[in-house]
Amino acid sequence: MQNSLIDTLDQLARPGDLQSRWEAAVAASRALGIKSILVAHANGATREIAWVNTNMSDAWMDEYLHQGYVDVDPLVSNLAFQNGTQRLEAGTVARDAAPNRKALDYNHGLKDAGYGTLICSKFGGSRDFGTFVTLGFEPGATMDESSQLMDLSLFSAFLAAFITAPLPDRTNRALTGTSLHLSPRQRDVLCLLASGHQTARIAEKLGVTEATVTFHMARAREALGA
């Protein structure tokens, strides 16, 4: 794997545009047995996502953003205030062990999307925006050898160093003007509203008053400029 990493570094370090570097990174990840890569610039403490470059499926990224899974993503939470690496096994959280339904849906949604393991590393600022690099693997993939884990860590560091701006892809378009400026409760209200629920029903489902729902709607309109 060392030769592959040297080749990857050479490709990423060559002068060229971001799209070329991204394509080189995707090709290198496949050669390393990695199903998907994700590089995001985000604030782990506030769950604010500036941009995401990934070759994970559009369907999964739409679900992740629409459902607000960033609020319950343990990879984000565990690395919010520190650099380091965390590992997540998809489809392993039991219903009675999940902190809430959204966390359960996120863990098992990853499995439904075809993932067994995610390895996430954070680089950069400790209390503000940092670069999150997530490597996704097929179910059953083994990554227990220390040398292999070290190589994957180096590959993640390469991605953080050279993939430093957003690509004009679907995920980043979905982020623009929506989830960046909405609180988790504002997103909950809008999702229920989009599902056809009236104010009274939204209040009932969320366990708040109608006045609170109206307040969140008004703040969401301001944030979206709607």
Side-chain angles (χ1 to χ4, degrees):
M1 189 178 284
Q2 292 292 333
N3 289 335
S4 297
L5 286 171
I6 293 172
D7 291 341
T8 300
L9 178 59
D10 179 62
Q11 293 170 1
L12 293 176
R14 289 176 184 172
D17 59 19
L18 179 62
Q19 184 65 45
S20 298
R21 294 200 300 273
W22 177 252
E23 291 171 358
V26 170
S29 70
R30 290 170 179 163
L32 294 171
I34 301 168
K35 179 175 182 176
S36 69
I37 56 176
L38 180 149
V39 183
H41 195 53
N43 187 322
T46 65
R47 307 299 194 274
E48 184 179 355
I49 305 172
W51 51 262
V52 178
N53 296 328
T54 185
N55 61 343
M56 298 181 89
S57 72
D58 288 339
W60 168 249
M61 291 308 302
D62 285 347
E63 180 178 350
Y64 187 94
L65 296 176
H66 177 72
Q67 297 298 334
Y69 285 153
V70 67
D71 298 326
V72 296
D73 190 339
L75 297 174
V76 176
S77 300
N78 294 338
L79 296 172
F81 299 107
Q82 61 182 349
N83 295 333
T85 299
Q86 294 285 326
R87 180 167 172 167
L88 183 150
E89 300 296 337
T92 59
V93 174
R95 185 178 299 273
D96 58 356
N100 53 55
R101 178 57 187 269
K102 185 184 287 188
L104 183 71
D105 290 345
Y106 165 66
N107 185 265
H108 288 269
L110 276 169
K111 182 179 179 181
D112 293 340
Y115 290 94
T117 302
L118 296 184
I119 296 179
C120 180
S121 301
K122 182 195 171 191
F123 306 86
S126 59
R127 285 189 172 272
D128 52 7
F129 278 90
T131 299
F132 290 78
V133 177
T134 303
L135 310 179
F137 297 86
E138 297 278 1
T142 57
M143 294 152 289
D144 295 327
E145 294 183 7
S146 59
S147 59
Q148 184 180 14
L149 291 173
M150 183 173 293
D151 288 339
L152 294 175
S153 179
L154 285 172
F155 180 63
S156 294
F158 292 167
L159 295 181
F162 292 101
I163 307 299
T164 57
L167 292 162
D169 60 15
R170 176 173 173 170
T171 296
N172 288 317
R173 288 196 298 272
L175 280 168
T176 302
T178 55
S179 61
L180 278 180
H181 307 293
L182 297 179
S183 70
R185 184 45 59 98
Q186 289 167 4
R187 290 198 293 270
D188 290 341
V189 168
L190 292 185
C191 285
L192 290 170
L193 181 66
S195 298
H197 297 296
Q198 296 183 351
T199 304
R201 179 58 175 156
I202 295 173
E204 179 183 348
K205 291 179 73 69
L206 296 180
V208 298
T209 66
E210 285 191 61
T212 299
V213 172
T214 301
F215 171 78
H216 286 307
M217 286 182 178
R219 293 298 299 272
R221 289 193 197 98
E222 292 176 5
L224 296 173

